[in-house]
Amino acid sequence: MPANIMDNDKVVLSGDEPAWHGLGEYFEIPISAEKAHDEMGGSFTLYQKPVGVQFDDGEFIEVPKSFAIVRGETNKDNRKLVFGYTTDHYTVIQPIDIIKKFDERVGVSISSLGFIQDGRKMFLSWKLPSFEVVKGDEIKLYGCLLVGYDKIFSSRINIGTIRIVCENTFMANMNEAEQENKSNRGRGTIYSGKHSNSKLLFELGEWMNHIQGNAEKEQALLQSFFKNLVNKPIKHEKQAQDLIYTAWPDPAPFNPDSIPLALHDKEQGKIDLKAARVEKIRNGVYDLYTGSEGIAIDENYYGLFNACTQYFNHKMISKKDDAFSISWGGRSAEMNMFAEVLKNN
């Protein structure tokens, strides 16, 4: 999947590292959201335009309470784009107003700011306090504001480990948040707003301010989770095998009476493919944990979790862009699912 950044340059990054796609502009020094917006050449203005019927004689009849969401020109694109159609309940919030609200209510450097899908979505992330689980092993957390300008996706504020820099990581951040919503580790979607909320801009500002003010508390929750993994020893290899099998068991056989006889071989073929896949995952994670791949792993739940992330991030071959295999799509779900297994066993 491409980066899909608007105008190929509507992204600014600060701190950490430049993005894999090499687009936009990178600053090693801290930078405010409004300054980042200026550096990318600005964004665009949103309009609500009446929707109606244009007759041959020039008469235009408006459809009551029906509007088009229109993106104005950018500094590189003279087109006006229609993002969708909505009613008069849709609240238009200009990108620059959200950017200024971040500077007003959070007041720290951005980590990333950008627009994707021709401006249909905007992202802004900032770095929260990081911590070491064990010496030399740092966990980074980001506050991430995701805003949509069509009628489908409105706005969310997530806390997670994924720094958004493009469409790939936008979707990965969403996926990570959905997985984290199932647990209680101080991560996931902290706030979700609707376009119909006339106070949306105010609430976004207050929630970002709240997250920043409670960053140390959120940090402590996540640190506690990983510390618990460090403090749970694995005393023998069978214990590691059992935990891995709990996460990736053999697929259940199908009921031969539930499908026609002529389709039995096809159904069994599907199950055989699933069985081969989970067997490959189990062997891959286990081999990394036991050190047969030459990787030193601590003999505790945290070491086993690291073997899992090592496998999905670096060993597993995928048809998707390996530059962002770290928490992309199904891989993210697998790693978060294993975290749940370790937490509950």
Side-chain angles (χ1 to χ4, degrees):
M1 181 180 289
N4 207 3
I5 294 170
M6 186 175 72
D7 296 344
N8 283 332
D9 68 351
K10 292 294 185 287
V11 60
V12 171
L13 309 173
S14 173
D16 293 306
E17 298 175 352
W20 65 276
H21 46 61
L23 301 176
E25 191 164 0
Y26 169 68
F27 292 84
E28 293 184 358
I29 62 174
I31 184 171
S32 70
E34 190 169 1
K35 175 64 174 175
H37 183 258
D38 292 341
E39 292 291 339
M40 68 171 62
S43 51
F44 51 81
T45 301
L46 287 170
Y47 304 92
Q48 279 181 303
K49 293 296 184 181
V51 173
V53 179
Q54 181 76 54
F55 291 91
D56 292 339
D57 61 4
E59 183 181 9
F60 180 80
I61 299 178
E62 293 184 11
V63 177
K65 299 181 180 180
S66 184
F67 297 89
I69 309 165
V70 180
R71 189 211 79 178
E73 303 93 335
T74 74
N75 65 330
K76 288 190 175 181
D77 186 353
N78 294 326
R79 298 176 300 164
K80 294 181 176 67
L81 301 180
V82 176
F83 284 170
Y85 301 92
T86 186
T87 69
D88 57 350
H89 294 298
Y90 182 97
T91 301
V92 172
I93 304 177
Q94 302 298 339
I96 187 60
D97 291 334
I98 294 176
I99 287 166
K100 288 181 177 179
K101 182 63 72 172
F102 173 82
D103 285 341
E104 172 193 338
R105 299 301 292 142
V106 181
V108 301
S109 174
I110 62 141
S111 178
S112 64
L113 172 67
F115 296 84
I116 58 175
Q117 300 172 1
D118 290 322
R120 287 173 175 81
K121 292 182 176 66
M122 165 186 165
F123 58 84
L124 188 161
S125 66
W126 72 101
K127 197 171 181 180
L128 298 173
S130 60
F131 62 89
E132 281 191 334
V133 179
V134 293
K135 187 173 178 57
D137 193 351
E138 182 185 31
I139 299 294
K140 295 180 180 180
L141 282 181
Y142 297 92
C144 297
L145 171 64
L146 304 84
V147 180
Y149 293 114
D150 53 27
K151 67 176 184 179
I152 300 172
F153 185 87
S154 178
S155 57
R156 294 189 187 185
I157 303 176
N158 296 335
I159 292 178
T161 61
I162 297 175
R163 176 199 193 198
I164 308 176
V165 298
C166 61
E167 184 176 25
N168 272 347
T169 44
F170 187 102
M171 299 305 297
N173 184 278
M174 289 280 292
N175 186 72
E176 181 189 39
E178 289 171 4
Q179 295 297 321
E180 295 300 340
N181 290 344
K182 301 173 184 178
S183 65
N184 184 25
R185 298 205 294 269
R187 290 194 287 173
T189 299
I190 308 301
Y191 172 82
S192 179
K194 296 181 179 180
H195 287 302
S196 58
N197 181 1
S198 61
K199 296 183 177 180
L200 180 58
L201 180 61
F202 169 78
E203 292 184 6
L204 287 173
E206 294 308 300
W207 274 101
M208 288 189 293
N209 174 269
H210 174 77
I211 288 170
Q212 183 64 21
N214 287 274
E216 291 185 3
K217 177 182 177 182
E218 305 295 349
Q219 172 200 33
L221 288 172
L222 185 59
Q223 185 172 14
S224 175
F225 168 72
F226 284 115
K227 287 292 186 182
N228 286 338
L229 295 186
V230 171
N231 293 328
K232 294 172 76 171
I234 292 180
K235 299 179 179 179
H236 47 77
E237 293 183 358
K238 181 62 165 58
Q239 182 183 0
Q241 289 176 326
D242 289 344
L243 288 166
I244 294 170
Y245 189 87
T246 300
W248 296 283
D250 290 330
F254 72 94
N255 180 357
D257 296 329
S258 64
I259 60 175
L261 178 63
L263 299 179
H264 281 195
D265 288 346
K266 180 179 180 180
E267 191 65 24
Q268 184 60 50
K270 293 179 181 178
I271 292 177
D272 290 344
L273 286 174
K274 292 179 182 178
R277 176 183 178 275
V278 296
E279 178 69 12
K280 185 176 181 180
I281 292 173
R282 290 196 300 253
N283 290 338
V285 174
Y286 181 74
D287 288 345
L288 285 168
Y289 176 72
T290 56
S292 61
E293 293 281 345
I295 298 172
I297 297 292
D298 294 332
E299 294 182 354
N300 52 39
Y301 276 41
Y302 186 63
L304 188 56
F305 181 69
N306 281 333
C308 166
T309 58
Q310 177 74 13
Y311 175 77
F312 283 104
N313 292 339
H314 302 292
K315 301 295 293 184
M316 184 180 182
I317 298 174
S318 172
K319 295 179 180 179
K320 293 187 171 66
D321 188 349
D322 282 328
F324 275 95
S325 62
I326 236 177
S327 303
W328 164 254
R331 298 193 192 194
S332 173
E334 299 280 9
M335 289 184 283
N336 280 285
M337 178 270 294
F338 195 47
E340 289 299 310
V341 169
L342 296 178
K343 173 186 175 184
N344 296 320
N345 288 275

